[in-house]
Amino acid sequence: MNPSNVVILSAILFSIGAVGVLVRRNAIIVFMCVELMLNAANLAFVAFARTSGNLDGQVVAFFVMVVAAAEVVVGLAIIVTIFRTRRSASIDEPNLLKY
Amino acid sequence: MNSASTSVPALVGRFASETPFELPVIDYRLILPILIILGAGVVSVLIEAFAPRRARRPLQLVLVFVSLIAAFIAVIDLAKTQALTAAGSIAVDGPALVMQGTLLILSLLGAMLMAERTLDPSGDAFAPRASALPGSEDEKQFAARGYLQTEVWSLFLFAVGGMLLFTVANDLLIMFVALEVMSLPLYLLAGLARRRRLLSQEAAMKYFILGAFSSAFFLYGAALIYGYAGSIDLPAIADALSAKPSESSLMLIGLGMLLVGLLFKIGAVPFHQWTPDVYQGAPTPVTGFMAATVKIAAFVALFRVLYVGFGGVRWDWEPMLWIVAILTMLVGSIIAVTQTDIKRMLAYSSIAQAGFILVGVVAASPEGLAGAMFYLVTYGFTTIGAFAVIMLVRDGNGEATHLSSWAGLAKRSPLVATLFAIFMLSLAGIPLTGGFIGKFSVFTAGIAAGDTSLVLVAVVASIIAAFFYVRVIVLMFFSEPNDQTAVVVIPSVFTTVALAAAATITVVLGVVPQPLLELVAHADVFVR
């Protein structure tokens, strides 16, 4: 398995995540896309750990998983609060703050 | 590289033989300030869990103030240190220590604003229960029963700890973790306002989604840099840049994505969209604290990445930051002119200020770093003071943030109007205030580095910015109060002390800037 293929896969996953954040309306889906971007970065780190022959990249992947878990806790708390207030998880609807 | 047939034990064996595991040596004295604050954060969570409701506030306040002061003493104790620890991933040096000290003093002032409980008749600035629906019967009951929460202090301490770590992070992993430890509590704090809770929740969601998006960019950039350099250590990246061809697209794209993450935290155009919404929606004490401190921490990290890690390719990042700095100054200043909400106006003003500080970054010289540090100190104290004044100007619905309610405020309270005028003049960069010396030192560094046209744009942007700062002063002093004019509420000793300290430091830095100028001039070298 050529590591550069894995890097290309991670770039594709990252792009899917980034496009998803930009075009999707549901806050939960947007949030999942952000997580996809983080995991794409993990994949790239692990692939580069093989090409560079040290363990740094694999260690980073572990840290990122923990950070992503913490982010889920905070993110879901915020999204659920908004959902309970507005009965909708659309990120377009909260539009009181503008200009 | 090996094919897929490489078995897992063989792979582990290969790594083990090539890189024997060395236990990193950690000098705990160097990270003592961070350990004190994060330790206090953990204790604060335990107080929330186990202390009776009545005892929580005194315990939390003592814990917060004692830990901030203890951490400040620990920073003073480290003065003039230049050292690496934890296998090179933590760099304690002049810029980090000066900015850590500043962050701790600003956090102390921010804590005083957050501790204020006399301004709002129904309690403090934070929601009686964050889970209650805005406007629901539950919420009315909680407010009527006088519910007050102290959970903000745990979040506050973790955010401060993350900022302190952000300033000393010398590898991209520590930097990412510090970025998140700093940001996650702030996302929540932004959503906890007692009044105008819909705005506050909206601010929290926008801040969170955009913040998470930008930190994902930072992380993927770090991955690409790791692929290029084979290390996440900033000095090792600098070595790789001098050893390998620097025109690698891996490196360029990686650096660009790293900068997206950092420029987002700074609030630079085109990554500034969250700033006005979050500054307006968040509870005002939190806005003041966050506006002052996040920018400082993120600028130190930006300096470290660019000077320590990517100093060798400054010709690649300078043109990009040139454009970002110009856009940031102009967009911030011009849009601020059209604002009618004072918090939103200050948000755009903080975008413009970030642009001025970026002039020091683009200079890529020790003078630029020293000037930017001075600017950050004055900006921090001025901003926190300005938001403290906004807390005091109120009407029946809480803070009166519409500019029309500020008309004739000087007739109602000459003292508060004068204080706000001092902060506005400092932000505008008028002589005898700290802001003037800050702008002066950043602009001279820019000219010395040959960025004359950039400094010209900065001067034009300062003139535009001066218009809307002075407009507020004119509004306060030269118009008659009408029935819309807000009243100034007398605060408790907390806000009074914070406001007096912010105003004093703003003026003192303008009249006798020499001590701080010497301090930053002696602390303008990053350890490698």
Side-chain angles (χ1 to χ4, degrees), chain A residues 1-3 7-8 10-12 14 17-19 21-22 27 30-31 34 37-38 40-42 44-46 48-60 63-64 67 70-72 74-79 81-82 84-87 89-99, chain B residues 1-6 11 14-15 18-19 130-134 138 173 176-177 180 184-185 187-188 197-206 208-209 211-213 215-217 219-220 222-233 250 257 276-278 280-281 335 339 344 348:
Chain A
M1 192 167 59
N2 189 349
V7 175
I8 291 169
S10 86
I12 294 171
F14 185 85
V19 170
V21 172
L22 298 176
V30 168
F31 187 42
V34 170
M37 292 165 76
L38 291 180
N42 270 352
F45 266 115
V46 173
F48 284 132
R50 278 200 71 171
T51 59
S52 59
N54 60 35
L55 285 173
D56 288 2
Q58 301 190 20
V59 174
V60 173
F63 274 86
V64 173
V67 168
E71 207 168 76
V72 168
V74 169
L76 283 185
I78 293 172
I79 293 171
T81 323
I82 295 259
R84 289 181 58 219
T85 307
R86 296 178 173 270
R87 290 281 138 212
S90 165
I91 51 168
D92 284 347
E93 242 168 66
N95 58 357
L96 298 167
L97 291 163
K98 49 190 164 190
Y99 312 123
Chain B
M1 279 314 290
N2 292 349
S3 64
S5 62
T6 311
L11 194 63
R14 190 166 63 82
F15 277 129
E18 280 173 12
T19 53
S131 58
L133 297 185
D138 275 358
L173 170 60
F176 175 71
V177 172
E180 293 291 323
L184 293 177
Y187 299 149
L188 290 172
R197 288 194 53 206
L198 283 179
L199 294 189
S200 179
Q201 291 183 350
E202 183 180 331
M205 188 172 83
K206 286 179 171 171
F208 170 73
I209 292 207
F213 190 50
S215 46
F217 271 90
L219 189 68
Y220 202 81
L224 295 183
I225 297 289
Y226 174 62
Y228 167 76
S231 171
I232 44 172
D233 223 32
L250 212 55
M257 292 174 87
D277 289 354
V278 175
Q280 188 186 356
I335 301 187
Q339 295 304 312
R344 223 172 160 76
Y348 279 107

